[in-house]
Amino acid sequence: MKYQLLFVSLLVFGVSMKSIAQDSIEYKKRVLDQMEIKVLSSYYSQDGDNAAVTGGRGTEELTDLAPIINVAIPLNDDDVLTIDASVSAYTSASSSNIDPFDGNGRANAFVESTGDSRKDTWFGLSANYSHSSDDRNTIWTANSSFAIEYDYTSIGFGGSYTRLFNEKNTEVQLRGNVFIDFWNPQYPIEFRDGFNPNNFEFTGTTNFAPNFEEFADTNRNSYNLGINFSQILSKTIQTSFISDVVLQDGLLSTPHQRVMFADIEDTVVEDFTLGNDVEKLPDSRLKIALANRTNFYLTENFILRSYYRFYTDDWGINSHTFELELPIKLGMNYTLYPSYRYYTQTEADYFNGFNQALSTDEYYTSDFDLADYDAHQYGIGFKYYDPLNKFRVGGFGLKSINIEFNQYSRTSQNFDAFFTSIGLSFSALK
């Protein structure tokens, strides 16, 4: 009888422990409680006088409208699938001058052509799967992406491993991604079969393109590796160090960007200077970036976010980025965040302005993105956050609204840009 009571007691104890273990797993905090949907729409416009499509001189006017939708789906307590879909519809004066003769007016580098090449659409789709361990100290992710535009297609895949230590006060993340791009080169019109300057009003030589040859290899590969280290230093200071290494190989030149040589007589058709060649750059590039992001919680209502990045590559570019943001809480639900960003870089070894490269050079570009310049960006943002989802749309509650305005300018170039965005975040109601 004594042994039977002992057996029953052990059996009850075992069942109770099993039930407790199951309950602890069943009721552990989910990584994501409900499905979330984020909708973002941005508008971007720019203007300048140094278009690479026209050899470093010409209009850079461009407008872009880009809606994005992001859906995060909890698959279970530990796993989340996130899907992004985006469209970018743009009108570009500079890309319209890939063929400046397809419009109604005279060809001119400072006037956009009215032809079909002035506008296009970019499509992008990506998916990210993440898995968190039961103690939430380990996170694995895997991702893939696909993008397509009129002149290229891109496929990407990668993943990351994140480990938290020291009661989640320390975090280390390893990241890796691969992107495989396929160009469909759109060469400037004067380099295509059938073009003859004698069909137009022109001055100069008919031997305007002595160096042009179509690219034999039209693929481009990018390999990215990164390490993040984050640490909570105190109740008011959090910092993170970010490092990235990117290796690219393949076609790194942009096939529709012209270069004009200083030692070759110009050929001017109507009011447009024809290219002597397209951009030629090395078929490999190594990029290294080191950054720090530190947040200071000054008071209940003020946070100072700082960011610095140093970048260098083997094309001769070195750059520094400084950024400050000051979120100001206005009550429980509202935040205002002004920001400032300063950027400076040296020019690439292969950069030349309009009519400055030599036909004897091995590599050359007139893309002013690779020139030396300083840039300033001023921004203001506004966020409304409602953790209770009081405003509801169907089966979803509005979690937050973000609105941003930014003004960007390059001091050493006549280049200005303005961009604004609005983002809505919804979560499924329980």
Side-chain angles (χ1 to χ4, degrees), residues 110-132:
F110 290 94
V111 179
E112 74 170 302
S113 169
T114 56
D116 291 338
S117 59
R118 74 186 189 279
K119 57 185 178 180
D120 196 58
T121 304
W122 175 93
F123 297 94
L125 184 66
S126 66
N128 179 282
Y129 169 82
S130 68
H131 171 78
S132 299

Side-chain angles (χ1 to χ4, degrees), residues 324-341:
L324 291 174
E325 184 179 274
L326 184 64
I328 305 169
K329 291 188 67 176
L330 307 173
M332 294 296 294
N333 302 101
Y334 304 96
T335 302
L336 188 70
Y337 48 98
S339 64
Y340 169 73
R341 181 179 182 269

Side-chain angles (χ1 to χ4, degrees), residues 143 157-161 173-179 221-229 241-248 285-291 309 311-312:
N143 62 76
F157 56 90
S160 68
Y161 171 77
Q173 183 186 71
L174 305 177
R175 296 174 282 106
N177 288 282
V178 175
F179 297 94
N221 302 319
S222 301
Y223 311 94
N224 304 2
L225 289 175
I227 301 176
N228 291 5
F229 173 81
F241 295 91
I242 307 157
S243 62
D244 286 282
V245 177
V246 179
L247 176 63
Q248 294 181 296
R285 188 178 187 183
L286 178 64
K287 307 177 183 181
I288 299 174
L290 302 172
R309 188 187 77 151
Y311 166 91
T312 185

Side-chain angles (χ1 to χ4, degrees), residues 79-97:
D79 302 327
V80 176
L81 176 65
T82 304
I83 299 173
D84 282 280
S86 54
V87 178
S88 176
Y90 68 85
T91 300
S92 171
S94 61
S95 68
S96 75
N97 283 324

Side-chain angles (χ1 to χ4, degrees), residues 29 35 40 50 74 79 108 251 287 356 363 386 426:
K29 183 175 177 58
M35 181 172 70
L40 174 70
N50 301 112
D79 302 327
N108 189 314
L251 179 54
K287 307 177 183 181
Q356 292 181 359
Y363 302 114
D386 178 15
F426 299 89

Side-chain angles (χ1 to χ4, degrees), residues 390-420:
K390 295 178 183 177
F391 182 79
R392 302 183 177 187
V393 179
F396 292 85
L398 179 62
K399 190 173 181 179
S400 65
I401 300 175
N402 272 305
I403 302 174
E404 289 189 11
F405 303 91
N406 291 275
Q407 179 68 41
Y408 172 89
S409 63
R410 295 180 181 177
T411 55
S412 56
Q413 302 174 21
N414 184 23
F415 182 93
D416 296 283
F418 170 80
F419 50 102
T420 182

